[in-house]
Amino acid sequence: MDKNSISNLNEKLKGEKGIHTDFKQDMTYSEYLLLDQVLSSQKLLSNHHDEMLFVIIHQVSELWMKLILHEMRSAIAAIQQNKMQPAFKMLSRVSKIQSQIIQGWDVLATMTPSEYLEFRDKLGKASGFQSYQYRLIEFALGYKTKHILKIYEKDVALSKLLHEAHKAPSIYDVSIQALARQGLPVNKDLLNRDFSVTYAGDETVAAAWKEVYLNVNKYWDLYQLGEKLVDIEDWLQQWRFRHMKTVERIIGFKVGTGGSSGVSYLKKVLDHRFFPELWDLRTNL
């Protein structure tokens, strides 16, 4: 910006007579957002320049995941109460958030293997594999891995939260219940099943979704619900893929700091489908 442009901008700002500048008695933007806490939460363990990038990318991802969980929990409750339109708004927002996290991997990928090696040993056994919010998202989507709960036993309150989420119905469980409420012949055993077990698919659910997609006008809300779920799984798989490729780009096939097989593990989870009937019907319609 040249001097004339700056001068013109300053003149325009002077004309903004309503801008508040005295905050001796009022809350500021920084105070509202607790920015002193947020911006002082990057406690680096090395002197390497790129550790700041590594910490901030992961902290930002966790903040986005917190918002995903906020939206997912409310969407699950809304579907249970047959309030479909608010649920659709929340699920659409989840998809947009997922796109932001995916872009975060692109920023992290600017770090080279040599740069990461300069501080990787400082992480000890800490790893993104241990992200409890990511596990809560998986639980909310219906992927219930019981063995993973052992990681969180150190924190009693957190462990309790995860065990409760592990037993709670997922977004797909409540969607199947919504199919049944609309009179579609769904296996009744699914409606009050053990929700701590990962859903594996059912012929009656497949038939119900096929009926919905063949009669869109009659089942418009259910049709929209199905497409919102497909959006979320699509974005999640893209998120997982970008994660896997970023890890491969930076550490190759090394074992992860948390002891996982790293890229090999990340490739394996790409094969899991959360909402199998919604994908299968693309072929079966």
Side-chain angles (χ1 to χ4, degrees), residues 13-271:
L13 289 174
K14 286 179 182 178
E16 293 288 333
K17 302 299 183 182
I19 293 177
H20 195 65
T21 58
D22 183 359
F23 287 92
K24 292 184 178 68
Q25 302 298 324
D26 294 305
M27 178 177 63
T28 66
Y29 169 83
S30 295
E31 289 168 339
Y32 173 66
L33 294 177
L34 300 177
L35 287 184
D36 57 336
Q37 296 180 33
V38 174
L39 298 179
S40 62
S41 295
Q42 293 73 48
K43 309 296 185 183
L44 307 185
L45 301 180
S46 76
N47 294 319
H48 195 273
H49 175 82
D50 281 7
E51 190 182 357
M52 181 67 78
L53 163 68
F54 188 82
V55 169
I56 287 178
I57 287 294
H58 286 86
Q59 287 182 338
V60 170
S61 293
E62 290 292 337
L63 285 172
W64 280 129
M65 284 191 274
K66 181 174 183 177
L67 186 53
I68 286 175
L69 287 166
H70 175 70
E71 301 296 339
M72 287 288 294
R73 288 164 178 153
S74 294
I76 288 171
I79 293 168
Q80 288 175 317
Q81 297 165 28
N82 212 33
K83 297 177 179 178
M84 305 303 273
Q85 293 303 317
F88 297 157
K89 175 66 179 295
M90 296 163 192
L91 295 177
S92 293
R93 183 174 292 159
V94 169
S95 294
K96 293 297 184 182
I97 297 166
Q98 289 173 301
S99 72
Q100 294 298 308
I101 299 180
I102 291 168
Q103 291 179 21
W105 292 123
D106 295 336
V107 180
L108 186 60
T110 64
M111 184 171 62
T112 69
S114 298
E115 290 163 342
Y116 184 43
L117 282 175
E118 291 291 328
F119 63 88
R120 187 179 188 238
D121 64 321
K122 299 293 185 182
L123 275 61
K125 294 179 181 178
S127 166
F129 185 83
Q130 299 146 15
S131 169
Y132 70 85
Q133 290 198 122
Y134 180 73
R135 298 305 171 189
L136 288 170
I137 290 171
E138 286 190 328
F139 290 174
L141 293 174
Y143 186 44
K144 304 294 184 75
T145 47
K146 187 174 183 179
H147 68 278
I148 218 76
L149 295 172
K150 186 171 179 60
I151 293 173
Y152 311 100
E153 291 177 352
K154 179 179 179 180
D155 185 326
V156 175
L158 176 58
S159 181
K160 182 175 182 293
L161 173 67
L162 281 151
H163 274 83
E164 289 174 351
H166 188 256
K167 296 176 183 177
S170 71
I171 190 83
Y172 201 51
D173 288 316
V174 300
S175 296
I176 291 171
Q177 292 169 355
L179 292 171
R181 283 200 303 273
Q182 290 300 311
L184 291 159
V186 171
N187 180 356
K188 292 182 180 179
D189 292 340
L190 297 174
L191 305 181
N192 292 293
R193 69 184 189 88
D194 180 356
F195 298 122
S196 69
V197 177
T198 299
Y199 176 77
D202 185 273
E203 290 182 0
T204 64
V205 174
W209 280 123
K210 186 173 183 179
E211 181 71 14
V212 168
Y213 275 71
L214 289 174
N215 297 277
V216 172
N217 292 331
K218 181 178 180 181
Y219 299 108
W220 178 246
D221 279 354
L222 292 173
Y223 173 70
Q224 288 189 85
L225 176 59
E227 287 300 289
K228 297 298 183 189
L229 294 178
V230 169
D231 284 343
I232 287 175
E233 180 163 352
D234 190 347
W235 280 111
L236 185 79
Q237 295 294 50
Q238 292 185 55
W239 173 14
R240 283 173 159 180
F241 179 79
R242 287 301 301 133
H243 183 189
M244 182 269 292
K245 294 306 292 184
T246 301
V247 171
E248 184 177 1
R249 176 172 177 158
I250 296 174
I251 69 167
F253 284 80
K254 291 186 180 73
V255 172
T257 50
S260 75
S261 57
V263 170
S264 297
Y265 169 78
L266 296 172
K267 283 185 175 181
K268 183 168 56 178
V269 297
L270 279 171
D271 291 333

